[in-house]
Amino acid sequence: MKQVTDFIIEEREQRGAQYFTLTLRHPSQMQKIVPGQFVEVRVDGCREVMLRRPISVHDVDEERGTLKLLIQIVGRGTRRLAQLGVGERLNLVYPLGNGFDLGVSEGSRVLLVGGGAGSAPLYHLAKELSHRGVRPTILIGGRNAGLIPVRDEFEQFGDLCIATDDGSLGHRGLVTEHPCFAASYDRIYTCGPTPMMKAVAQSALQRGIECYVSLENMMACGVGACLCCVVDTDEGHLCVCKEGPVFNAEKLKKLWNL
Amino acid sequence: MLEVKIHNLVLNNPVMTASGTFGYGLEFADFIDLSRLGGIVVKGTTGERRQGNPYPRMVETPSGMLNSVGLQNVGVGRFCSEVYPKIKDLKTNVIVNVSGSSIDEYCDVASQIDALDNIPAIELNISCPNVKCGGMGFGTSPDMAAQVVGAVRKVYHKTLIVKLSPNVTSIAEIAKAVEGAGADSVSLINTLLGMAIDIERRRPFMANVTGGLSGPAVKPVAVRMVWQVAHAVKIPVVGLGGICTAEDAIEFMMAGATAIEVGTANFIDPAVTVKIIDGMEQWCKKHGVNDINEIIGII
Ligand SMILES: Cc1cc2nc3c(=O)[nH]c(=O)nc-3n(C[C@H](O)[C@H](O)[C@H](O)COP(=O)(O)OP(=O)(O)OC[C@H]3O[C@@H](n4cnc5c(N)ncnc54)[C@H](O)[C@@H]3O)c2cc1C
Ligand SMILES: Cc1cc2nc3c(=O)[nH]c(=O)nc-3n(C[C@H](O)[C@H](O)[C@H](O)COP(=O)(O)O)c2cc1C
Ligand code: FES
């Protein structure tokens, strides 16, 4: 069930210049959250920001009743969120959207491809997959080493590969040029900048690999009520907040010329 | 204490939700008890299914937002067969916002909704700024407005609320015209036509270039228009535009509104409507107001 809740900031960690994480504790019983779902954060104390900001759930600790967000500072709202400290409250509407399809059998060959803030939900996904007996390959891309907000933490759940445009970490080049991308997989999940997801989906569908992408869009309500966040899928205009944010790439064939 | 009447429609309290901001109500069922609402006005419904406008469809602006959703909806046929069964037993007044591009389309939709037992009223949207033909076109000329309302009045027999556009020189004149054509009530305001430019990319934020402004930014304009219309017509006025708190709602009622609708504020707090209802009750108690009707139009 969706809720509006004041969470308490338990921990804050800076990750390079552009990223930070917030660990948030629920005041009582946290709702179940599946990988790929998101929250809508109310940004208080910022004159310019009225609407909530959608942010993916990065990690969940059900026992402790905490969730973690990984946020990239890009504008007015995220800049204000970056100023928040431990002990302060953060009002969330959660859990929102449909998460990643987890219907993979034990031992399946699975690839996760992330870029920038898009690695956020893939961490929760990798953790959940590993609980289900799947050890995924995790391929993370970025412009340079400083812009890869999550890396070593992934190693407990799968095999980590990195690609940077300038070669400052891992393979030099795009994620789709990394040797591990060409290996064969049963399924690919991707979240990151649109051109990256498009290239990943293109290759996946060409190779007959099932592919799930997590889309972003400007949002107002976050619950499928305002129709502001639509994307033009093969099934017509669907809301990223309610019908997504995760879509099977099969539905994006027309939009992305797949 | 909070009960009000709009023509034959009895509302437990004056608080309804604004069309296009509350889906079909069910989207908010996790957050609030929908039966507490005075009413729910559902998304604009047209004769045929519509895909709406291209995107991006929204951008946040100071104390408000612009949208250009453009009446994306399943069409009246599927509304009746698929949506209505899911919402007909909600214990509140479910009102359908009716739109069209021609008088025939408005009449067709209105008469199909007339046949639905549990829909006690329609809100005729002659004020949508986001569709090319019709929509706001009907709401900006007194003659056109009277024509479409008169035609719908012939085929629709329950409470007929007409939603007015603020994008006019004299909203009172339009209100008088629709009253004369048989409207039972008017609601106002729909969104104010606006525009915003992304100066870095050197292009408008929205694919549709212009859009409708809503949220707290429009509230003083809306209060002024409600006041003007309330003095110009005898039928009850439903006020909306930027309402976020019980105090905002009371302000609209003093200006002349019998009931109010909450729109954009639902995006900021999905439980805001019940907070407004509770707050209005507290306000009445605190100020010794035994019946909310006492304050309607005191300005
Ligand atoms: C389902 C979903 C999950 C997301 N998960 C994360 C996450 O885990 N971590 C993270 O850092 N970010 C995430 N985002 C993106 C995040 O919502 C935006 O970066 C944020 O809203 C920007 O707010 P702002 O006020 O700082 O920016 P603004 O000042 O409003 O805008 C600055 C820039 O950001 C762009 N932008 C604004 N809103 C969005 C948006 N909703 N989506 C994409 N770009 C936007 C604008 O076009 C503009 O160029 C997610 C978005 C969606 C839709
Ligand atoms: C995203 C969005 C969609 C809307 N869709 C409709 C609609 O379909 N029909 C209509 O009559 N008004 C529509 N409106 C206008 C609102 O019902 C309301 O008149 C306006 O937003 C002002 O109220 P507010 O400031 O409380 O939001 C829409 C508004 C928004 C923000
Ligand atoms: S943000 Fe309102 S429908 Fe998706």
Side-chain angles (χ1 to χ4, degrees), chain A residues 98-236:
Chain A
N98 296 308
F100 293 105
D101 179 289
L102 292 168
V104 279
S105 46
E106 207 173 316
S108 304
R109 295 157 306 167
V110 172
L111 174 68
L112 316 188
V113 187
S119 341
L122 296 184
Y123 182 80
H124 190 197
L125 175 63
K127 189 175 177 180
E128 186 61 37
L129 288 172
S130 83
H131 288 161
R132 290 167 184 247
V134 175
R135 193 174 160 78
T137 301
I138 301 142
L139 173 56
I140 303 295
R143 278 209 306 279
N144 61 55
L147 293 176
I148 302 217
V150 203
R151 47 178 125 149
D152 304 345
E153 302 91 319
F154 272 121
E155 281 174 336
Q156 50 185 317
F157 306 126
D159 302 315
L160 179 65
C161 307
I162 289 178
T164 50
D165 292 1
D166 66 356
S168 53
L169 192 71
H171 189 84
R172 182 195 196 105
L174 303 172
V175 284
T176 45
E177 292 159 359
H178 195 291
C180 82
F181 184 72
S184 67
Y185 297 98
D186 300 310
R187 185 180 277 199
I188 298 178
Y189 298 95
T190 181
C191 184
T194 304
M196 183 203 88
M197 292 197 285
K198 202 166 150 180
V200 169
Q202 219 140 30
S203 162
L205 294 204
Q206 267 164 22
R207 292 189 277 159
I209 305 172
E210 204 176 6
C211 179
Y212 289 89
V213 304
S214 179
L215 301 183
E216 281 188 6
N217 208 343
M218 305 294 284
M219 288 186 183
C221 73
V223 296
C226 72
L227 310 182
C228 282
C229 68
V230 296
V231 54
D232 195 12
T233 72
D234 292 8
E235 295 170 6

Side-chain angles (χ1 to χ4, degrees), chain A residues 76-108:
Chain A
R76 306 157 292 180
T78 47
R79 209 174 301 128
R80 170 70 191 122
L81 293 174
Q83 295 166 352
L84 294 174
V86 172
E88 291 190 80
R89 281 164 202 280
L90 197 60
N91 186 276
L92 306 186
V93 176
Y94 87 105
L96 299 175
N98 296 308
F100 293 105
D101 179 289
L102 292 168
V104 279
S105 46
E106 207 173 316
S108 304

Side-chain angles (χ1 to χ4, degrees), chain B residues 168-191:
Chain B
V168 294
T169 314
S170 170
I171 196 163
E173 213 175 296
I174 312 271
K176 275 192 272 190
V178 305
E179 179 183 41
D184 299 316
S185 167
V186 284
S187 59
L188 59 138
I189 58 174
N190 207 317
T191 53

Side-chain angles (χ1 to χ4, degrees), chain B residues 2-5 14 226 230 236-237 250-259 289 291-299:
Chain B
L2 293 182
E3 190 178 293
V4 293
K5 259 183 96 177
V226 164
V237 176
I250 304 269
E251 184 180 356
F252 272 82
M253 294 188 76
M254 287 184 175
T258 298
V289 173
D291 180 352
I292 192 88
N293 289 282
E294 290 168 22
I295 65 158
I296 296 171
I298 59 170
I299 305 296

Side-chain angles (χ1 to χ4, degrees), chain A residues 227 230-238, chain B residues 46 48-55 57 69-74:
Chain A
L227 310 182
V230 296
V231 54
D232 195 12
T233 72
D234 292 8
E235 295 170 6
H237 280 158
L238 296 181
Chain B
T46 51
E48 299 299 325
R49 171 171 182 237
R50 291 204 193 180
Q51 278 287 338
N53 284 326
Y55 52 91
R57 288 178 170 184
V69 172
L71 297 179
Q72 177 177 334
N73 79 102
V74 294

